[in-house]
Amino acid sequence: MAATAPSTRARIYDMFRHSNVGHSGRRWRAFHLLVLAAGLLAIAISSIDGLPPAVDVFLTMIVVLVAVVFFGEYLARLWAAPEAARFAGVSDGMARLHWALSVDGLIGLLAVFPVVAITFGSVQASHEAAPVFCVFWILKLSVHAPAMTTLARVIANERATLASVVIIFVMILVSAATIAHMLERELQPKAFGNIPEALWWAVVTLTTTGYGDVVPQTVGGRMVGSLVMVSGILVLALMTGILATGFAEEERRREYLRVWDQVTRVPMFAELGTVTLSEIVSKLRVRHYPPRIVVVRRDEPGDSMFFISEGEVEVRAPRGTVALRQGGFFGEMALLDRLPRSATVVTTQPTTLLVLYASDFYEIAANIPSLVESVEREARRRRAENLGEPAKVESS
Amino acid sequence: MAATAPSTRARIYDMFRHSNVGHSGRRWRAFHLLVLAAGLLAIAISSIDGLPPAVDVFLTMIVVLVAVVFFGEYLARLWAAPEAARFAGVSDGMARLHWALSVDGLIGLLAVFPVVAITFGSVQASHEAAPVFCVFWILKLSVHAPAMTTLARVIANERATLASVVIIFVMILVSAATIAHMLERELQPKAFGNIPEALWWAVVTLTTTGYGDVVPQTVGGRMVGSLVMVSGILVLALMTGILATGFAEEERRREYLRVWDQVTRVPMFAELGTVTLSEIVSKLRVRHYPPRIVVVRRDEPGDSMFFISEGEVEVRAPRGTVALRQGGFFGEMALLDRLPRSATVVTTQPTTLLVLYASDFYEIAANIPSLVESVEREARRRRAENLGEPAKVESS
Amino acid sequence: MAATAPSTRARIYDMFRHSNVGHSGRRWRAFHLLVLAAGLLAIAISSIDGLPPAVDVFLTMIVVLVAVVFFGEYLARLWAAPEAARFAGVSDGMARLHWALSVDGLIGLLAVFPVVAITFGSVQASHEAAPVFCVFWILKLSVHAPAMTTLARVIANERATLASVVIIFVMILVSAATIAHMLERELQPKAFGNIPEALWWAVVTLTTTGYGDVVPQTVGGRMVGSLVMVSGILVLALMTGILATGFAEEERRREYLRVWDQVTRVPMFAELGTVTLSEIVSKLRVRHYPPRIVVVRRDEPGDSMFFISEGEVEVRAPRGTVALRQGGFFGEMALLDRLPRSATVVTTQPTTLLVLYASDFYEIAANIPSLVESVEREARRRRAENLGEPAKVESS
Amino acid sequence: MAATAPSTRARIYDMFRHSNVGHSGRRWRAFHLLVLAAGLLAIAISSIDGLPPAVDVFLTMIVVLVAVVFFGEYLARLWAAPEAARFAGVSDGMARLHWALSVDGLIGLLAVFPVVAITFGSVQASHEAAPVFCVFWILKLSVHAPAMTTLARVIANERATLASVVIIFVMILVSAATIAHMLERELQPKAFGNIPEALWWAVVTLTTTGYGDVVPQTVGGRMVGSLVMVSGILVLALMTGILATGFAEEERRREYLRVWDQVTRVPMFAELGTVTLSEIVSKLRVRHYPPRIVVVRRDEPGDSMFFISEGEVEVRAPRGTVALRQGGFFGEMALLDRLPRSATVVTTQPTTLLVLYASDFYEIAANIPSLVESVEREARRRRAENLGEPAKVESS
């Protein structure tokens, strides 16, 4: 097994990588999401009292099945864990222990563990325990939210500012609760009789949720309430300002790196110097497309051109259909001549494109005339060949 | 008919284009909005029980009339559909089928189709079916919301990030519902007795809507509730951050293209090179004005100058009134001399202007002295002629 | 009167100008705000039933007094109106008519007019009519909100986009109301029995206000409700995105013009060329200060320097106090040497300062070395004279 | 004492400085936060009626203890106050009086003062008075919210705009309340009988809190209500736009100064000219780390490099562990070669790092080739030495 394992293990390891955008990764995630949804739904429904016994048994079966899938995933990932540190000279056992103790490993174990309670416990116990799974299984959803990492970084970068907003939030809460308690405790001893009770009202009001279960009655209490509501708007505005600014900056950085990873696969860019390249990189956008997606449609107005950094597209012009592979580009006529699209372009495989918008194209044109020249040369050749758009023509 | 049809058909086709900003398009859209509003209002009122029969009959007549108008629109657009692919060598039948199966075509058909139910069905049936139209007719409103395309593109571009926020949203919802269910089911078996019930509370709380029909009573439930409310503020802040950033970027691109389409109609710009032009384009703003609108008012302070890319304006200076046509400009004295407006300028036709704000004018001045020079030369000539502002003078 | 009037009339006209930041303007606005607040308060209190007659009479007297003041204001402004068009060759009567028919004139008249109802009407009538004033008087508050103009321009510039959001808003409202009406009318015939009733629920839910007076009970209705709440968050996010972007752009333009108006009063800037100047202008910020305000405090860290474009400040250094007038600057040591403030600076008159932040100072330094040099020369002179900071020294 | 005092006094003064990021400052703030939380919690719990006497006594003891700590803090800071003006030639007494009358001094005194009421007052009195402390103690939380200063400056800078929004807010409130009062007073004399009552409804609705205690019933009232809710969204959007823009600008300025303070400690930067430096400064970010934090982790992808401006880190590469001190840098290989991190880097002391992200690195590379060259030279040396990353190697 030692001789054949690496390739299987590597493929399995690869399948489970969160950032895998290839075939196996996307299939696995789709299946995982389906299983997870089924499991969560089954637990949610089984929490309803008075279901017919047959339904109850069916739901329990689904829950067990889902748990079995997650157990399988856990074992497979544990087995494949050494791949992560292949060249680090760490023993397989250590690598597996390392993964088992990581956040991913622990969530995986927690999701599997309680299956025992259902399988071996009484019907009553399983009913009680079911929601507990739910909380652990929900953590598995995080795999499907790649922007969570960006979000975490934004929060980490802005932690000082956010902490200050939280402290302001707490200051408003406690002061409002205290003052409202002093003003309202006579009239409403139940709802404002002590500060912890009044705090509930303050939270409900400051977040502008406003259940209406507790409402100030005195003139003073209502004034405090009004101030708290207005403060709620201010706190929300501040929070939005901080997160929006931080998010925009972080997204810019992420996109820059994503483009940088793709741009070297396009020969036209790869031969440029680092300085020139860095300028172009900040103008390009990465777009991932599944197969059989229409990227541009004939006769529609266009405002961007595309470079293929991975995959393949089919250019369907009136004069015939051709395929374009990695390194090719299309859509340049919309930018050079301001004409509508002359062909429909469809992806044939999972494809990664780099998009260059008109507004940025002309800016680049001013600084890097060589790039525009080579795009123009190719465009002239295409027009001469009456071929619509494709750059590197191959019959598909 | 074959000989005369093209021009009629082209005009009809043109009238229905969503992006038509000319006479026929704007009139059609105004009429369409009126008809639509009448139809929706009639359906809404007819849903009230116990109306006098006369009113009921009147409302039904309106509904039928509106449906007839929409039927006429459907037929007209179906007939004119081949115009869209005039030079594509597609047969008229195919082009019509193509349109009939497009989103626009299907919405058009759906809006017409149920008229049969009212015309031929019983009174009761028409009462039941009426709201069904409403849902289809409301889709027709989308014609009047051009920014919907921008919005759709923002959502498409940011789909990965938005999907992550949705998953975070779902994670908070399900966890909160599960925990609240465990904590509150004893005290409030009706509202928190099972997870689907608890989810309703979680949604109402996380969006900070706070109906107050379900309110946690235990200390633990209230703590969970408080966290959910605060998370609601965070989710809102995030959503705003993502959409605001994406929207600003997309709007910048759209405006760039809008300006680019207009700028070539102004000779002064058209003769500049692409690189220089691209820099100016990013500083200009497009403004569409209906006729008889005051663009600038004499004696008021000004912070912008205007180039006419389409239509005509009348410059009403103390020394007389002159007309300015496409390619002309006015308002430059506010920028060159920092003086109040020396004339009132009114549009006489639907007019498209390119606006250049003071803050951008000086920036351009630094980089493209030739443009400023030609503006200054014209300004000197005007002052010499004591004519107020007009550039290409023609008695109106 | 014809000979002496102009100067009195000009002064009165000047006092009422909204944008007047001088002595008379600010005093008038403070008095106006006081009178307005008193009037509104009196009307609000008089709407309470069962007040003692004495209080009622007192309140009515205040209302009448306020109305008299507004009547006086109306007459004064009507009389002074010709000043607005002094050199336009318009007759005084025409100018007054022009003002009387302007928005300001009409609001002024409406605020005065109903005083007749109180003075000559019955007590009952005055009670009924009182709130009517309130609505007209509240319009007068707009004088005190200068940013309202900016806001109006943002809305005008983004009207196409905002209209689209409003249409999306209406589409969600009507669809949600229709579907909820179909799903809930059985269970809740009162609240969802017809579409207009259901619309009330939809508005309350879409704005996430959530009174809780109408709450969907069916599973389908709750699903629709959940979607409406989430849409509410999206609509809010969109609205924020549009307004925030538009507001930031408009504010940048306004500030640019405000700085441009001030910058020519500082000789050091006035001698620069237009191109260089336009670059500096975009970095400066305008700040208006009333008298006796501490602008910078000795020993505190500083991150900005100040140029005086209007008014006077007193520099209180350990070695003595000196006055700085228009054209002078202070605070440059914080930028050049990164030292704490060496003196406390206090305004002695209403003063307008141009602020240059450290982050922008160094950027300017890179592009306009001459400006930094002249600042440095003055700083050296001051240090040599051991005088703390003042540039143009005059004993105060 | 006069001879030895200065150093003790200086150390004590330093410990209480809000901006102190060193050892003593952070320890004091942690302790202060703990004491404050305990005090607030004790007061909150003691407001609950019917606690056992033993608990009551215990809570009172905590409150007294906390007050004693705050009294101690007050005395210590009063004593150390002269440090603030050491070289100003002010007498110690004057300096102490100055501090006692500052915001900090007054908050300190207010927090201590009421302890007398508890110690010498009756049990009843202490119960009544307890919440009063709460309000004063909560003010002490502001010490832990450094962003509050930024917030205060944003509000000060945007005060004109914010005031306008507040006036718009008031205008909507008063008009809505008046109109609703006129429309609803017949049906709901209690809730809408007078304008002050109606104002409560208007505030609850305009902030979209929506308690639901007062809900309009007439068609007119509901239309007004709908408009108020939509206005609420607009006001929120505006507020967010203003604060977000102002906050982003202010944060940029603060970060610039923070970087400027740190950048001169890195010799590589210090030798650059002011102009070049100012460009780099705007690209760097300051990050403070406590000891034993993993800054980068081996084998993970990297998008930034780090310069050490204060403290020390340990670079743990496969070939051995080395320490890097102030002036050193690491992580450059991720930028130069786009490789994963080759070592794990952990802080050993409180450390301040300057972060340079990939997206900015290449931009700097274009403008300041000398910096990149020196980074590359060091990187080559490191690779040659096979040492992983460290720049200035010292065995730790």
Side-chain angles (χ1 to χ4, degrees), chain C residues 176-192:
Chain C
T178 308
I179 298 172
H181 159 66
M182 290 193 288
L183 292 166
E184 296 277 334
R185 64 181 158 188
E186 302 286 291
L187 241 80
Q188 307 191 63
K190 196 154 177 302
F192 289 98

Side-chain angles (χ1 to χ4, degrees), chain A residues 324-369:
Chain A
L324 268 181
R325 302 250 167 84
Q326 182 177 320
F329 61 85
F330 58 91
E332 76 284 356
M333 288 181 194
L335 270 61
L336 293 173
D337 309 330
R338 307 277 313 121
L339 292 172
R341 299 297 188 194
S342 64
T344 295
V345 180
V346 183
T347 58
T348 56
Q349 304 170 8
T351 299
T352 304
L353 299 175
L354 294 168
V355 187
L356 180 58
Y357 287 97
S359 47
D360 298 317
F361 180 78
Y362 300 109
E363 214 172 292
I364 287 182
N367 299 316
I368 315 159

